[in-house]
Amino acid sequence: MRFLDAFRDVESVRRLAAEIASLGPGRSVRLMHVCGTHENALCRWGLRDILPPWLKLIAGPGCPVCVCPAADIDMAVRVAADHGAILATFGDVVRVPARQTLMQAKAAGADIRVVYSISDAISIAASEPSRVVVFFAVGFETTACTTAAALTKATPNNFFVLSSHRVIPTALDALLSIPGPRLDGFLMPGHVMTVTGTKAFRDIAARFNVPMVVGGFEPVDIMLAVKELVLMVKDGRAEVGNAYTRSVRAHGNEVAITAMEKVFEVRDAAWRGIGTIKASGLAIRPELSHKDAMVRFGLQPDDTIPDTEPGCQCGEVLLGRLEPEDCPLFSTVCNTEHPVGPCMVSFEGTCAARYRHGVRR
Amino acid sequence: MNDDRITLGHGSGGRLTHELVETVFKKTLADEMLDTSCDSAIIGPISGHIAMTTDAFVVSPLFFEGGDIGSLAINGTVNDLAVAGAEPRFISASFILEEGLCISDVSRIAASMARAASLAGVHVVAGDTKVVERGHGDGVYITTTGIGKMRDEPPAGIQAVQPGDIVLVSGPVGDHGAVIAAHRNGLEVEGGLTSDCASVATLVDAMYDAGVRPVFMRDPTRGGLATVLAEVASSCGLPVEIYEKDIPVRAGVTAVCDVLGIDPLYLACEGRVVVFTRPEQAATALDALRSRPEGALSTVIGRVMPGGAGPVVLVTRFGGRRLYDILASDPLPRIC
């Protein structure tokens, strides 16, 4: 507890807020974070209120569940509903809208189980050898490395993986290539960067001339990262800084990176609300095709399924172009009990974070 | 008989039922007003208005640090009467037992009910027992019904809350919810956690004795402090502002919440009371609450603001603001 208290210390946060305010560059500064956990921390501690008015901290595409396209969810539904497999996945995936959500498929009789990790799914396969068990693997590098670690070892013959993993560096590259209002800097996700390291982003920062700083998830962590970002913006330095040194290294977690390279190959992939991004998805390598549910069941994504309901503006929210509370559906017909769009479904979604923290239209 | 287990025969109404009632419930509850030979308890006379409430208890685990389903069943109903402005007097208890339950556990629960009733000053005057087949219940379910005598000047109610009113809470929030959440998720907390399960009737008495006439009171059980405040804000159409630095939360509760990604303000309390008073009575109310050991950690946590229908606004320790609404639903296990 004492360890954590230091990162929630009122005096430290106030001092950092005052220091940031004193750095005013004489113009507005727009920073983006790309992590649902950052959005939750910002809302929980009310940190936006203590930042100076010239500084805007926008939420970007930081929720792996939200960007999971309907076509991928549909393949997961088919695995359980048409092929009779046990489909195991993370809890916030089961309500994500598609032709049918996994929860609706479950209600209609498909065997869909919520697990906390891939190892839970492997345990199910081991204890039910007569059934086929498919782990629907969703998430960025933070969960992709756990899928990779599991597949580098022997798993039960009846265990398969349906990979919908996405990676952050190429997505950020694509995001920066989309024409739109300039972003002055990125608050980088501490969890993902613990795996990838800061090195993976140096080229992007330089090419787009935009500073990036890794932040942890406690109030002091976030304020430290924001301060470093503002300093870089002021000095015109497009570097990758690290304000989360207790977890993030320049080279990342090399064991995790090696495991991912061994298990996955990089492919173009669809992101809900954004479109197809080159080299942004992780597919299982042909050497491991005997573990690939796509191969096992001959699955092909049905790209005709719409990713958003009419009127849903999750795409704009994901790109940081629209605040959730400016969407006409937000808190009127779309809420955490009855989500219309993917950003309201997941705990990590920007709309859900704002709604849960009491923001209303 | 204490090594024995509950069988369907204990619910048959025959000899085994009689034996269970006499040797466990009657003997353990030991209330002179509990007459097992009569089909109804005769109580009173009570003059004036009577308050009546009922509540079902289905907690799992049955036994937890600081209490069990028995103390919970007494205190829950006592507290519902107390916060409505009644002096709790009589309680009935109806048990649904699952086949296979240890009779020693039933005795332990009954003993805990006797202790809680005695501390709260209520009589357990009537009861009933049914047994369901193994797999059709979760050990024990208890329903208690309570009767109390209304005070001459009960709280005016939620509609009477007005701008400037002060909000107090009688101790750290979320203790009970954290104990149950930690149990269910296999978490052990350094230094331990204890449920706050207790009667708040003595705290309400202390305030009335000191001349305080609360505007509104509620025990923040399911949905926790935040849900109570959100209900007030929505019913009286006024914003309620609370201050994070003044809300007592134990370190162990914060730890459980951080691990599970839940908010202590949404966690159930089972021995706390949230009090709304007029500003001129707030200091007296706080002194009265603190005069009792069970209210020693009471604090003023906020106030009702003027103007505009509004939500609950928490001013964070850093001076930022976040909003609270009624708890939507239990979160699903998260991806990261």
Side-chain angles (χ1 to χ4, degrees), chain B residues 67-231:
Chain B
D68 54 57
I69 193 170
S71 56
L72 204 59
I74 296 293
N75 290 325
T77 290
V78 161
N79 292 346
D80 282 350
L81 291 170
V83 297
E87 294 163 0
R89 293 282 175 85
F90 307 104
I91 278 191
S92 76
S94 159
F95 297 81
I96 295 174
L97 308 176
E98 186 184 2
E99 181 188 19
L101 180 74
C102 285
I103 290 176
S104 57
D105 282 345
V106 182
S107 293
R108 197 173 150 198
I109 290 165
S112 166
M113 293 177 82
R115 259 193 316 278
S118 159
L119 283 171
V122 292
H123 292 283
V124 180
V125 295
D128 183 49
T129 309
K130 295 284 188 298
V131 178
V132 292
E133 280 177 57
R134 188 188 281 272
H136 288 242
D138 201 0
V140 187
Y141 298 144
I142 305 177
T143 300
T144 50
T145 298
I147 286 176
K149 179 191 180 309
M150 284 305 283
R151 296 173 187 275
D152 294 336
E153 294 173 80
I158 202 162
Q159 303 296 342
V161 171
Q162 59 188 45
D165 284 353
I166 300 295
V167 190
L168 302 93
V169 67
S170 68
V173 297
D175 290 3
H176 179 77
V179 165
I180 301 300
H183 246 289
R184 288 182 184 166
N185 291 283
L187 295 178
E188 279 181 36
V189 177
E190 206 174 300
L193 287 173
T194 306
S195 167
D196 55 330
C197 182
S199 158
V200 301
T202 46
L203 293 171
V204 176
D205 283 343
M207 284 191 290
Y208 270 88
D209 291 348
V212 176
R213 295 295 174 264
V215 180
F216 176 71
M217 293 185 283
R218 171 87 33 104
D219 51 334
T221 56
R222 275 181 304 184
L225 173 67
T227 300
V228 168
L229 299 178
E231 281 169 2

Side-chain angles (χ1 to χ4, degrees), chain B residues 37-89:
Chain B
S37 66
C38 186
D39 280 336
S40 284
I42 312 299
I43 54 175
I46 302 175
S47 64
H49 289 286
I50 288 171
M52 183 171 169
T53 188
T54 190
D55 214 340
F57 298 85
V58 296
V59 70
S60 172
L62 295 176
F63 301 96
F64 46 84
E65 296 78 5
D68 54 57
I69 193 170
S71 56
L72 204 59
I74 296 293
N75 290 325
T77 290
V78 161
N79 292 346
D80 282 350
L81 291 170
V83 297
E87 294 163 0
R89 293 282 175 85

